């Protein structure tokens, strides 16, 4: 999978936001400044504990990093080492493990869920966000995301299963484009639709 490139640079080094991990991707903010720099410092400390960055890099004052770079106290090579360290620690760690580290250490890090993660999410299951699809052409046990949220005074219900491939194509072409049955059949026969 291809993910978006870096959102910002420091000392001419790209600071990516998305990192490849053992089983997918995570978002990590390498943020600076007094509000967010402490989180990056904690990330670098954990990365050093994992042997992926030197203790010297972990000990840098990440809240003041922009000023340190501007004064020349921190170089592009230092920033590259930090980024490479985060890349290395992510590649050897799973999304769940990284998520646990983020929660335990207060890091700006989040797992990127794929469809398998969504389908097996205990949180979604416990919140009742999955429902049996009535009259499913694929079987009675088909589960479907029932709603994007659960409201206290409003129920979002599944009225029918999602259409199968081409299930409504002919009706839409007839009603919206005013095509005749013969014209629609010709489109199907010639592989246009």
């Amino acid at each position: 999978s291809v993910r978006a490139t870096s959102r910002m640079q420091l000392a001419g080094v790209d600071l990516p936001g998305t990192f490849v991990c053992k089983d997918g991707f995570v978002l990590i903010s390498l943020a600076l400044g007094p509000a967010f720099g402490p989180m990056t410092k904690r990330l670098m400390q954990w990365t050093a504990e994992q042997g992926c960055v030197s203790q010297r890099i972990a000990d840098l004052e990440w809240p003041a990093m922009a000023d340190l770079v501007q004064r020349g106290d921190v170089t592009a090579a230092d920033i590259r080492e930090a980024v490479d360290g985060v890349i290395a620690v992510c590649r050897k760690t799973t999304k769940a493990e990284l998520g646990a580290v983020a929660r335990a250490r207060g890091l700006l890090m989040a797992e990127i869920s794929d469809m398998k993660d969504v389908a097996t999410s205990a949180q979604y299951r416990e919140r009742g966000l999955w429902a049996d699809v009535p009259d499913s052409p694929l079987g009675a046990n088909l589960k479907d995301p029932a709603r994007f949220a659960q409201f206290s005074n409003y129920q979002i219900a599944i009225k029918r299963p999602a259409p199968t491939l081409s299930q409504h194509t002919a009706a839409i072409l007839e009603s919206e484009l005013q095509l005749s049955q013969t014209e629609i059949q010709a489109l199907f026969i010639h592989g246009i639709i």
Side-chain angles (χ1 to χ4, degrees):
S1 292
V2 175
R3 294 282 174 175
T5 57
S6 110
R7 298 175 302 221
M8 50 186 269
Q9 286 190 338
L10 183 62
V13 176
D14 287 339
L15 300 180
T18 305
F19 292 82
V20 175
C21 60
K22 216 174 188 180
D23 60 349
F25 298 91
V26 290
L27 291 173
I28 300 176
S29 181
L30 300 174
L32 309 174
F36 300 109
M39 290 178 239
T40 302
K41 186 167 179 67
R42 290 192 298 270
L43 170 65
M44 291 304 158
Q45 184 60 49
W46 177 73
T47 304
E49 291 168 16
Q50 300 306 304
C52 293
V53 73
S54 69
Q55 191 60 49
R56 183 183 67 78
I57 295 297
D59 290 340
L60 291 173
E61 284 307 313
W62 287 90
M65 186 55 62
D67 292 336
L68 294 173
V69 167
Q70 188 173 19
R71 285 198 318 252
D73 296 340
V74 173
T75 66
D78 296 330
I79 302 303
R80 171 55 42 211
E81 180 184 341
V83 169
D84 287 347
V86 175
I87 289 169
V89 79
C90 286
R91 284 192 186 274
K92 69 179 192 174
T93 313
T94 67
K95 290 187 285 191
E97 291 165 341
L98 288 165
V101 169
R103 288 184 293 280
R105 295 186 177 238
L107 306 179
L108 286 173
M109 183 187 308
E111 303 163 46
I112 298 177
S113 296
D114 59 23
M115 291 312 294
K116 181 180 177 189
D117 298 327
V118 172
T120 59
S121 168
Q123 180 183 14
Y124 288 161
R125 203 172 36 257
E126 289 295 319
R127 295 179 62 126
L129 298 181
W130 295 101
D132 288 319
V133 177
D135 305 318
S136 169
L138 300 176
N141 294 329
L142 183 65
K143 294 281 188 191
D144 195 33
R147 59 198 66 82
F148 63 92
Q150 180 63 52
F151 302 102
S152 57
N153 61 353
Y154 181 75
Q155 182 70 19
I156 301 173
I158 295 177
K159 297 177 184 171
R160 62 187 172 278
T164 58
L165 187 62
S166 298
Q167 182 177 347
H168 301 296
T169 301
I172 291 170
L173 291 173
E174 186 176 5
S175 66
E176 299 295 322
L177 296 180
Q178 314 294 301
L179 296 180
S180 70
Q181 288 294 323
T182 304
E183 292 170 314
I184 294 169
Q185 191 174 30
L187 292 173
F188 277 106
I189 289 170
H190 293 291
I192 296 170
I193 54 174

